[in-house]
Amino acid sequence: MTGWFQGAGEIFSAIAAGDSWMLSEALGQPAVWPLGLIGLMAGASLVLMLYKLIPVLDRHFEATVMVISYLAIGGIICVEVFRRFVLQQQAPWSTTLPPFLFLIMTWFGCSHNVKLRTHLAFAELRNALPRAGQMGCLILDAALWFGFCWVVVVTSTRVAVNSASNFQIMLGTDNVMQWWFLVSVPLAFTLLAARALENLLEDFHAYRSEATLIEPAVIGGE
């Protein structure tokens, strides 16, 4: 157990120092995994509390990020295609920014998908199970989402910090850092974990109150 938290002091020291190079080195320690799990669950709980305090964020945040990202991608491509073939000009960042925006749209969309429960869930099969079996499947869903988020948050944080420590600049720009966009991945998966936690709490409440556990998902619903 001690080995799991080996290097925790280095990680905390690097965070306190605000040094991306030190943090990049420290995140190679075994302690990054248990600390990452603790940070993920703490972050998910805080996000869930924020959603409860500000309902408008709960209803519209992920969808707003998705729409803005999508419109930005479409606008950049449309304008730059016109400029390239009509005006013989093109912004050098026009081919590098849209993929990062697509990254943001995709992973925030994944969080929105978990909120709506429109992921593949084999609802017909689960409805045929007894009530305890249905609840077991829902708990398994949450455990798998938490595990998936844990891996992604730890590994993507390493990538973002490594990018920051190497001062990686987005191609075609002079001072736009890549990590500004890469950090959206651990953030999005923290939001996803919050949605998974929200669903799990709702499922426990439905199980205790004898309400329906498995309901048909409606794509595009609320």
Side-chain angles (χ1 to χ4, degrees):
M1 191 68 174
T2 305
W4 268 83
F5 286 92
Q6 180 181 351
E10 295 180 28
I11 295 175
F12 288 125
S13 297
I15 293 174
D19 189 314
S20 58
W21 178 261
M22 287 176 57
L23 186 57
S24 178
E25 293 292 315
L27 290 182
Q29 298 291 335
V32 69
W33 290 101
L35 291 179
L37 180 59
I38 294 170
L40 171 66
M41 299 311 297
S45 300
L46 289 173
V47 168
L48 194 55
M49 287 190 291
L50 184 63
Y51 283 156
K52 299 304 180 185
L53 290 173
I54 311 176
V56 68
L57 288 179
D58 181 31
R59 289 181 57 85
H60 302 298
F61 181 65
E62 292 109 329
T64 300
V65 173
M66 292 164 57
V67 170
I68 292 174
S69 300
Y70 186 76
L71 292 177
I73 293 170
I76 291 170
I77 292 175
C78 180
V79 171
E80 291 304 319
V81 165
F82 174 81
R83 293 182 71 235
R84 180 176 183 179
F85 290 98
V86 177
L87 304 179
Q88 305 301 314
Q89 300 176 0
Q90 184 176 3
W93 47 264
S94 62
T95 57
T96 55
L97 179 57
F100 284 102
L101 294 175
F102 184 78
L103 177 80
I104 294 172
M105 181 184 72
T106 300
W107 296 128
F108 278 86
C110 188
S111 174
H112 188 62
N113 175 68
V114 173
K115 170 192 172 184
L116 300 181
R117 299 179 187 252
T118 49
H119 50 77
L120 183 62
F122 305 102
E124 293 80 5
L125 174 62
R126 293 184 176 195
N127 277 321
L129 296 174
R131 191 170 180 81
Q134 293 179 5
M135 190 65 209
C137 289
L138 294 172
I139 293 174
L140 178 62
D141 285 346
L144 292 174
W145 279 125
F146 291 144
F148 185 46
C149 291
W150 180 25
V151 172
V152 173
V153 165
V154 171
T155 54
S156 62
T157 299
R158 283 174 166 172
V159 172
V161 172
N162 183 65
S163 176
S165 67
N166 286 285
F167 302 98
Q168 292 181 343
I169 297 175
M170 182 185 298
L171 296 178
T173 67
D174 296 324
N175 52 14
V176 177
M177 309 302 294
Q178 286 191 18
W179 74 267
W180 296 350
F181 298 90
L182 295 175
V183 77
S184 66
V185 180
L187 175 59
F189 276 86
T190 300
L191 299 181
L192 194 156
R195 291 303 187 185
L197 179 59
E198 180 181 42
N199 289 348
L200 183 61
L201 294 176
E202 290 176 355
D203 294 334
F204 277 124
H205 176 73
Y207 185 77
R208 289 193 299 267
S209 62
E210 299 296 325
T212 302
L213 286 174
I214 307 295
E215 297 182 353
V218 179
I219 297 177
E222 284 293 339

